[in-house]
Amino acid sequence: ERSIGENVVIDCQAIGIPTPVIRWLRDELDVETIDTRYYVFLNGSWFINDTETSDSGLYICSAENEAGVFRVVVDVQITSDTSPLFRETPQDQKVLTRSTVTLPCKATGNPKPSTFWKHDDNLIFASESVSVNENG
């Protein structure tokens, strides 16, 4: 069981002569054809980048060579309620007075976390001189 937004590696290793080809399947389709966030390494490990709840489900690790096929069912569960996690945080910057500065701040979680800014413990709101984007 993993949380939304994590990177996950699931191992599947098989030995045989000749060396078996390992494939990961969902609904009989190779996972790499389902989503660009999926990658299967040469050793058979499956990498999921930035997990989503839609990644939850039953998958098959299939090892195949001339001698036959062996399959293992793997139940992947991605939990939907996650604590906020910063994906991008602002860095200290030195700028000239009245110049424009961008301070990126991106957080993920479920439910989606609220992002707000403070300066000296005072909330900062959008104004003529300050803009706050929806994405943080």
Short mmCIF file of all heavy atoms in Angstrom, two decimals, residues 8-55:
data_model
loop_
_atom_site.label_atom_id
_atom_site.label_comp_id
_atom_site.label_asym_id
_atom_site.label_seq_id
_atom_site.Cartn_x
_atom_site.Cartn_y
_atom_site.Cartn_z
N VAL A 8 7.17 4.42 -6.96
CA VAL A 8 7.15 3.06 -6.44
C VAL A 8 7.90 2.13 -7.39
O VAL A 8 7.77 2.24 -8.60
CB VAL A 8 5.69 2.57 -6.29
CG1 VAL A 8 5.63 1.13 -5.85
CG2 VAL A 8 4.93 3.45 -5.31
N VAL A 9 8.67 1.21 -6.80
CA VAL A 9 9.30 0.14 -7.56
C VAL A 9 8.80 -1.18 -7.01
O VAL A 9 8.87 -1.43 -5.81
CB VAL A 9 10.85 0.20 -7.48
CG1 VAL A 9 11.47 -1.00 -8.19
CG2 VAL A 9 11.38 1.50 -8.06
N ILE A 10 8.27 -2.03 -7.90
CA ILE A 10 7.79 -3.35 -7.51
C ILE A 10 8.65 -4.38 -8.24
O ILE A 10 8.74 -4.37 -9.47
CB ILE A 10 6.30 -3.54 -7.87
CG1 ILE A 10 5.47 -2.44 -7.20
CG2 ILE A 10 5.82 -4.91 -7.44
CD1 ILE A 10 4.03 -2.39 -7.65
N ASP A 11 9.30 -5.23 -7.46
CA ASP A 11 10.21 -6.21 -8.03
C ASP A 11 9.49 -7.45 -8.52
O ASP A 11 8.51 -7.90 -7.91
CB ASP A 11 11.27 -6.61 -7.00
CG ASP A 11 12.20 -5.47 -6.65
OD1 ASP A 11 12.53 -4.69 -7.54
OD2 ASP A 11 12.59 -5.36 -5.47
N CYS A 12 9.99 -8.01 -9.60
CA CYS A 12 9.53 -9.29 -10.12
C CYS A 12 10.74 -9.92 -10.81
O CYS A 12 11.19 -9.42 -11.83
CB CYS A 12 8.38 -9.12 -11.09
SG CYS A 12 7.76 -10.69 -11.72
N GLN A 13 11.27 -10.95 -10.20
CA GLN A 13 12.45 -11.57 -10.76
C GLN A 13 12.19 -13.05 -10.99
O GLN A 13 11.50 -13.70 -10.21
CB GLN A 13 13.64 -11.39 -9.81
CG GLN A 13 13.98 -9.92 -9.61
CD GLN A 13 15.09 -9.72 -8.59
OE1 GLN A 13 15.54 -10.64 -7.96
NE2 GLN A 13 15.52 -8.47 -8.45
N ALA A 14 12.74 -13.56 -12.08
CA ALA A 14 12.58 -14.97 -12.41
C ALA A 14 13.89 -15.48 -13.02
O ALA A 14 14.62 -14.73 -13.66
CB ALA A 14 11.44 -15.16 -13.40
N ILE A 15 14.16 -16.75 -12.78
CA ILE A 15 15.34 -17.36 -13.38
C ILE A 15 14.90 -18.54 -14.23
O ILE A 15 13.85 -19.13 -14.00
CB ILE A 15 16.36 -17.83 -12.31
CG1 ILE A 15 15.70 -18.80 -11.31
CG2 ILE A 15 16.97 -16.65 -11.60
CD1 ILE A 15 16.68 -19.43 -10.36
N GLY A 16 15.69 -18.87 -15.22
CA GLY A 16 15.39 -19.99 -16.09
C GLY A 16 16.38 -20.04 -17.23
O GLY A 16 17.17 -19.12 -17.43
N ILE A 17 16.34 -21.14 -17.97
CA ILE A 17 17.18 -21.28 -19.15
C ILE A 17 16.26 -21.65 -20.30
O ILE A 17 15.58 -22.68 -20.24
CB ILE A 17 18.25 -22.38 -18.93
CG1 ILE A 17 19.15 -21.98 -17.76
CG2 ILE A 17 19.06 -22.58 -20.20
CD1 ILE A 17 20.14 -23.05 -17.36
N PRO A 18 16.20 -20.83 -21.32
CA PRO A 18 16.85 -19.52 -21.43
C PRO A 18 16.23 -18.51 -20.46
O PRO A 18 15.16 -18.74 -19.92
CB PRO A 18 16.61 -19.13 -22.88
CG PRO A 18 15.43 -19.92 -23.33
CD PRO A 18 15.41 -21.17 -22.50
N THR A 19 16.93 -17.40 -20.27
CA THR A 19 16.48 -16.36 -19.35
C THR A 19 15.07 -15.90 -19.73
O THR A 19 14.82 -15.56 -20.89
CB THR A 19 17.43 -15.16 -19.38
OG1 THR A 19 18.74 -15.61 -19.04
CG2 THR A 19 16.99 -14.08 -18.39
N PRO A 20 14.14 -15.94 -18.76
CA PRO A 20 12.77 -15.53 -19.08
C PRO A 20 12.64 -14.02 -19.35
O PRO A 20 13.39 -13.22 -18.80
CB PRO A 20 11.96 -15.90 -17.84
CG PRO A 20 12.92 -16.40 -16.83
CD PRO A 20 14.29 -16.39 -17.40
N VAL A 21 11.69 -13.70 -20.19
CA VAL A 21 11.32 -12.31 -20.44
C VAL A 21 10.22 -11.97 -19.44
O VAL A 21 9.22 -12.69 -19.33
CB VAL A 21 10.81 -12.12 -21.89
CG1 VAL A 21 10.28 -10.70 -22.08
CG2 VAL A 21 11.91 -12.44 -22.88
N ILE A 22 10.40 -10.87 -18.72
CA ILE A 22 9.42 -10.47 -17.71
C ILE A 22 8.59 -9.32 -18.25
O ILE A 22 9.12 -8.35 -18.79
CB ILE A 22 10.11 -10.08 -16.39
CG1 ILE A 22 10.83 -11.31 -15.82
CG2 ILE A 22 9.10 -9.52 -15.40
CD1 ILE A 22 11.61 -11.06 -14.57
N ARG A 23 7.28 -9.46 -18.10
CA ARG A 23 6.34 -8.42 -18.53
C ARG A 23 5.38 -8.14 -17.37
O ARG A 23 5.01 -9.05 -16.62
CB ARG A 23 5.54 -8.89 -19.74
CG ARG A 23 6.37 -9.13 -20.96
CD ARG A 23 5.61 -9.81 -22.09
NE ARG A 23 4.33 -9.16 -22.36
CZ ARG A 23 3.26 -9.82 -22.81
NH1 ARG A 23 3.30 -11.12 -23.01
NH2 ARG A 23 2.15 -9.18 -23.06
N TRP A 24 4.97 -6.91 -17.25
CA TRP A 24 3.93 -6.52 -16.30
C TRP A 24 2.67 -6.22 -17.09
O TRP A 24 2.71 -5.48 -18.08
CB TRP A 24 4.36 -5.28 -15.51
CG TRP A 24 5.31 -5.62 -14.40
CD1 TRP A 24 6.67 -5.60 -14.45
CD2 TRP A 24 4.95 -6.02 -13.08
NE1 TRP A 24 7.19 -5.97 -13.24
CE2 TRP A 24 6.16 -6.23 -12.37
CE3 TRP A 24 3.74 -6.22 -12.42
CZ2 TRP A 24 6.18 -6.62 -11.04
CZ3 TRP A 24 3.76 -6.61 -11.09
CH2 TRP A 24 4.97 -6.81 -10.41
N LEU A 25 1.54 -6.78 -16.65
CA LEU A 25 0.29 -6.65 -17.39
C LEU A 25 -0.84 -6.15 -16.49
O LEU A 25 -0.88 -6.45 -15.29
CB LEU A 25 -0.13 -8.01 -17.96
CG LEU A 25 0.91 -8.76 -18.79
CD1 LEU A 25 0.48 -10.20 -18.98
CD2 LEU A 25 1.11 -8.07 -20.12
N ARG A 26 -1.74 -5.42 -17.09
CA ARG A 26 -3.01 -5.06 -16.46
C ARG A 26 -4.08 -5.24 -17.53
O ARG A 26 -3.96 -4.66 -18.62
CB ARG A 26 -3.02 -3.63 -15.95
CG ARG A 26 -4.32 -3.29 -15.22
CD ARG A 26 -4.28 -1.90 -14.62
NE ARG A 26 -5.37 -1.71 -13.70
CZ ARG A 26 -5.57 -0.63 -12.98
NH1 ARG A 26 -4.73 0.39 -13.08
NH2 ARG A 26 -6.59 -0.53 -12.17
N ASP A 27 -5.07 -6.04 -17.23
CA ASP A 27 -6.11 -6.36 -18.22
C ASP A 27 -5.48 -6.88 -19.51
O ASP A 27 -5.90 -6.52 -20.62
CB ASP A 27 -7.00 -5.14 -18.50
CG ASP A 27 -7.72 -4.64 -17.26
OD1 ASP A 27 -8.07 -5.47 -16.41
OD2 ASP A 27 -7.91 -3.42 -17.15
N GLU A 28 -4.46 -7.72 -19.35
CA GLU A 28 -3.74 -8.37 -20.46
C GLU A 28 -2.97 -7.40 -21.37
O GLU A 28 -2.53 -7.77 -22.45
CB GLU A 28 -4.68 -9.25 -21.30
CG GLU A 28 -5.24 -10.42 -20.53
CD GLU A 28 -4.18 -11.37 -19.98
OE1 GLU A 28 -3.21 -11.67 -20.70
OE2 GLU A 28 -4.33 -11.81 -18.83
N LEU A 29 -2.81 -6.15 -20.94
CA LEU A 29 -2.03 -5.16 -21.70
C LEU A 29 -0.73 -4.88 -20.98
O LEU A 29 -0.70 -4.78 -19.74
CB LEU A 29 -2.81 -3.84 -21.85
CG LEU A 29 -4.12 -3.90 -22.62
CD1 LEU A 29 -4.84 -2.56 -22.51
CD2 LEU A 29 -3.87 -4.26 -24.07
N ASP A 30 0.37 -4.73 -21.73
CA ASP A 30 1.63 -4.33 -21.13
C ASP A 30 1.46 -2.98 -20.45
O ASP A 30 0.92 -2.05 -21.05
CB ASP A 30 2.74 -4.21 -22.19
CG ASP A 30 3.30 -5.56 -22.59
OD1 ASP A 30 3.72 -6.31 -21.69
OD2 ASP A 30 3.31 -5.85 -23.80
N VAL A 31 1.93 -2.87 -19.20
CA VAL A 31 1.72 -1.63 -18.45
C VAL A 31 2.35 -0.43 -19.14
O VAL A 31 1.83 0.68 -19.06
CB VAL A 31 2.22 -1.74 -16.99
CG1 VAL A 31 1.39 -2.73 -16.19
CG2 VAL A 31 3.69 -2.06 -16.92
N GLU A 32 3.47 -0.65 -19.83
CA GLU A 32 4.13 0.48 -20.48
C GLU A 32 3.31 1.06 -21.62
O GLU A 32 3.53 2.20 -22.03
CB GLU A 32 5.51 0.07 -20.99
CG GLU A 32 6.49 -0.17 -19.85
CD GLU A 32 7.84 -0.64 -20.35
OE1 GLU A 32 7.90 -1.69 -21.01
OE2 GLU A 32 8.82 0.08 -20.07
N THR A 33 2.33 0.31 -22.12
CA THR A 33 1.45 0.84 -23.17
C THR A 33 0.24 1.54 -22.58
O THR A 33 -0.49 2.23 -23.29
CB THR A 33 0.96 -0.29 -24.12
OG1 THR A 33 0.14 -1.19 -23.38
CG2 THR A 33 2.13 -1.03 -24.75
N ILE A 34 0.03 1.38 -21.28
CA ILE A 34 -1.14 1.96 -20.61
C ILE A 34 -0.87 3.40 -20.17
O ILE A 34 -1.74 4.26 -20.27
CB ILE A 34 -1.54 1.10 -19.38
CG1 ILE A 34 -1.95 -0.30 -19.82
CG2 ILE A 34 -2.65 1.77 -18.58
CD1 ILE A 34 -2.16 -1.27 -18.67
N ASP A 35 0.33 3.65 -19.66
CA ASP A 35 0.61 4.95 -19.05
C ASP A 35 2.10 5.27 -19.19
O ASP A 35 2.94 4.41 -18.95
CB ASP A 35 0.22 4.92 -17.56
CG ASP A 35 0.08 6.29 -16.95
OD1 ASP A 35 1.01 7.11 -17.11
OD2 ASP A 35 -0.95 6.55 -16.32
N THR A 36 2.41 6.51 -19.54
CA THR A 36 3.81 6.92 -19.70
C THR A 36 4.54 7.02 -18.37
O THR A 36 5.77 7.14 -18.35
CB THR A 36 3.91 8.27 -20.44
OG1 THR A 36 3.17 9.26 -19.70
CG2 THR A 36 3.36 8.17 -21.85
N ARG A 37 3.80 6.96 -17.25
CA ARG A 37 4.45 7.00 -15.94
C ARG A 37 4.99 5.63 -15.53
O ARG A 37 5.65 5.49 -14.52
CB ARG A 37 3.47 7.48 -14.86
CG ARG A 37 3.00 8.90 -15.05
CD ARG A 37 1.94 9.31 -14.03
NE ARG A 37 0.78 8.44 -14.09
CZ ARG A 37 0.46 7.54 -13.15
NH1 ARG A 37 1.18 7.42 -12.07
NH2 ARG A 37 -0.60 6.76 -13.29
N TYR A 38 4.72 4.61 -16.33
CA TYR A 38 5.14 3.25 -16.03
C TYR A 38 6.39 2.90 -16.83
O TYR A 38 6.48 3.18 -18.03
CB TYR A 38 4.05 2.24 -16.41
CG TYR A 38 2.74 2.38 -15.67
CD1 TYR A 38 1.60 1.76 -16.15
CD2 TYR A 38 2.62 3.13 -14.50
CE1 TYR A 38 0.39 1.85 -15.49
CE2 TYR A 38 1.41 3.24 -13.84
CZ TYR A 38 0.30 2.60 -14.34
OH TYR A 38 -0.91 2.69 -13.69
N TYR A 39 7.34 2.24 -16.17
CA TYR A 39 8.55 1.79 -16.85
C TYR A 39 8.97 0.45 -16.26
O TYR A 39 9.02 0.29 -15.04
CB TYR A 39 9.68 2.82 -16.68
CG TYR A 39 10.95 2.40 -17.36
CD1 TYR A 39 11.10 2.55 -18.74
CD2 TYR A 39 11.99 1.83 -16.64
CE1 TYR A 39 12.26 2.14 -19.37
CE2 TYR A 39 13.16 1.42 -17.27
CZ TYR A 39 13.29 1.58 -18.64
OH TYR A 39 14.43 1.17 -19.27
N VAL A 40 9.28 -0.51 -17.11
CA VAL A 40 9.75 -1.81 -16.66
C VAL A 40 11.25 -1.90 -16.97
O VAL A 40 11.67 -1.78 -18.12
CB VAL A 40 8.99 -2.96 -17.35
CG1 VAL A 40 9.54 -4.30 -16.88
CG2 VAL A 40 7.50 -2.87 -17.04
N PHE A 41 12.04 -2.10 -15.90
CA PHE A 41 13.48 -2.22 -16.05
C PHE A 41 13.83 -3.58 -16.64
O PHE A 41 13.04 -4.52 -16.59
CB PHE A 41 14.18 -2.04 -14.70
CG PHE A 41 14.03 -0.67 -14.12
CD1 PHE A 41 13.14 -0.45 -13.07
CD2 PHE A 41 14.76 0.41 -14.60
CE1 PHE A 41 13.00 0.81 -12.52
CE2 PHE A 41 14.62 1.67 -14.06
CZ PHE A 41 13.74 1.87 -13.01
N LEU A 42 15.05 -3.70 -17.18
CA LEU A 42 15.50 -4.96 -17.77
C LEU A 42 15.48 -6.12 -16.78
O LEU A 42 15.29 -7.26 -17.16
CB LEU A 42 16.90 -4.79 -18.36
CG LEU A 42 17.01 -3.86 -19.57
CD1 LEU A 42 18.46 -3.71 -20.00
CD2 LEU A 42 16.17 -4.39 -20.72
N ASN A 43 15.66 -5.82 -15.47
CA ASN A 43 15.65 -6.89 -14.46
C ASN A 43 14.24 -7.30 -14.06
O ASN A 43 14.07 -8.16 -13.20
CB ASN A 43 16.46 -6.47 -13.23
CG ASN A 43 15.78 -5.37 -12.42
OD1 ASN A 43 14.73 -4.86 -12.78
ND2 ASN A 43 16.41 -4.99 -11.32
N GLY A 44 13.22 -6.68 -14.65
CA GLY A 44 11.83 -7.04 -14.36
C GLY A 44 11.15 -6.16 -13.34
O GLY A 44 9.94 -6.26 -13.15
N SER A 45 11.88 -5.29 -12.66
CA SER A 45 11.26 -4.37 -11.71
C SER A 45 10.42 -3.36 -12.46
O SER A 45 10.80 -2.88 -13.53
CB SER A 45 12.32 -3.65 -10.87
OG SER A 45 13.02 -4.57 -10.08
N TRP A 46 9.28 -3.03 -11.87
CA TRP A 46 8.34 -2.09 -12.48
C TRP A 46 8.36 -0.80 -11.69
O TRP A 46 8.20 -0.80 -10.48
CB TRP A 46 6.96 -2.72 -12.49
CG TRP A 46 5.83 -1.83 -12.92
CD1 TRP A 46 5.85 -0.82 -13.83
CD2 TRP A 46 4.49 -1.90 -12.45
NE1 TRP A 46 4.61 -0.26 -13.96
CE2 TRP A 46 3.75 -0.91 -13.12
CE3 TRP A 46 3.84 -2.71 -11.54
CZ2 TRP A 46 2.39 -0.70 -12.88
CZ3 TRP A 46 2.49 -2.50 -11.31
CH2 TRP A 46 1.78 -1.51 -11.98
N PHE A 47 8.54 0.32 -12.38
CA PHE A 47 8.60 1.65 -11.76
C PHE A 47 7.33 2.41 -12.10
O PHE A 47 6.95 2.50 -13.27
CB PHE A 47 9.83 2.41 -12.29
CG PHE A 47 9.93 3.82 -11.80
CD1 PHE A 47 10.35 4.10 -10.51
CD2 PHE A 47 9.60 4.88 -12.64
CE1 PHE A 47 10.44 5.41 -10.07
CE2 PHE A 47 9.70 6.19 -12.20
CZ PHE A 47 10.12 6.45 -10.91
N ILE A 48 6.68 2.94 -11.07
CA ILE A 48 5.51 3.82 -11.25
C ILE A 48 5.92 5.20 -10.77
O ILE A 48 6.27 5.38 -9.60
CB ILE A 48 4.28 3.35 -10.46
CG1 ILE A 48 3.96 1.89 -10.74
CG2 ILE A 48 3.08 4.25 -10.77
CD1 ILE A 48 2.87 1.33 -9.84
N ASN A 49 5.88 6.17 -11.65
CA ASN A 49 6.22 7.54 -11.31
C ASN A 49 4.98 8.30 -10.85
O ASN A 49 3.94 8.24 -11.51
CB ASN A 49 6.84 8.23 -12.53
CG ASN A 49 7.27 9.64 -12.23
OD1 ASN A 49 7.93 9.91 -11.24
ND2 ASN A 49 6.89 10.56 -13.10
N ASP A 50 5.06 8.99 -9.70
CA ASP A 50 4.00 9.88 -9.24
C ASP A 50 2.65 9.16 -9.20
O ASP A 50 1.73 9.48 -9.96
CB ASP A 50 3.94 11.10 -10.14
CG ASP A 50 3.12 12.24 -9.54
OD1 ASP A 50 2.92 12.27 -8.31
OD2 ASP A 50 2.65 13.09 -10.31
N THR A 51 2.51 8.20 -8.30
CA THR A 51 1.32 7.35 -8.24
C THR A 51 0.02 8.14 -8.11
O THR A 51 -0.02 9.22 -7.54
CB THR A 51 1.41 6.36 -7.06
OG1 THR A 51 1.60 7.10 -5.86
CG2 THR A 51 2.52 5.35 -7.26
N GLU A 52 -1.03 7.55 -8.66
CA GLU A 52 -2.39 8.09 -8.60
C GLU A 52 -3.31 6.97 -8.11
O GLU A 52 -2.97 5.78 -8.22
CB GLU A 52 -2.83 8.54 -9.99
CG GLU A 52 -1.96 9.60 -10.61
CD GLU A 52 -2.33 9.91 -12.05
OE1 GLU A 52 -3.23 9.24 -12.62
OE2 GLU A 52 -1.71 10.83 -12.61
N THR A 53 -4.50 7.33 -7.62
CA THR A 53 -5.43 6.29 -7.16
C THR A 53 -5.81 5.35 -8.29
O THR A 53 -6.06 4.17 -8.06
CB THR A 53 -6.70 6.89 -6.53
OG1 THR A 53 -7.29 7.80 -7.46
CG2 THR A 53 -6.40 7.60 -5.23
N SER A 54 -5.79 5.84 -9.53
CA SER A 54 -6.15 4.99 -10.67
C SER A 54 -5.11 3.88 -10.91
O SER A 54 -5.38 2.93 -11.65
CB SER A 54 -6.32 5.83 -11.94
OG SER A 54 -5.10 6.48 -12.26
N ASP A 55 -3.95 3.98 -10.28
CA ASP A 55 -2.94 2.93 -10.39
C ASP A 55 -3.31 1.70 -9.55
O ASP A 55 -2.73 0.64 -9.73
CB ASP A 55 -1.57 3.43 -9.93
CG ASP A 55 -1.04 4.56 -10.81
OD1 ASP A 55 -1.26 4.50 -12.03
OD2 ASP A 55 -0.40 5.47 -10.27
#
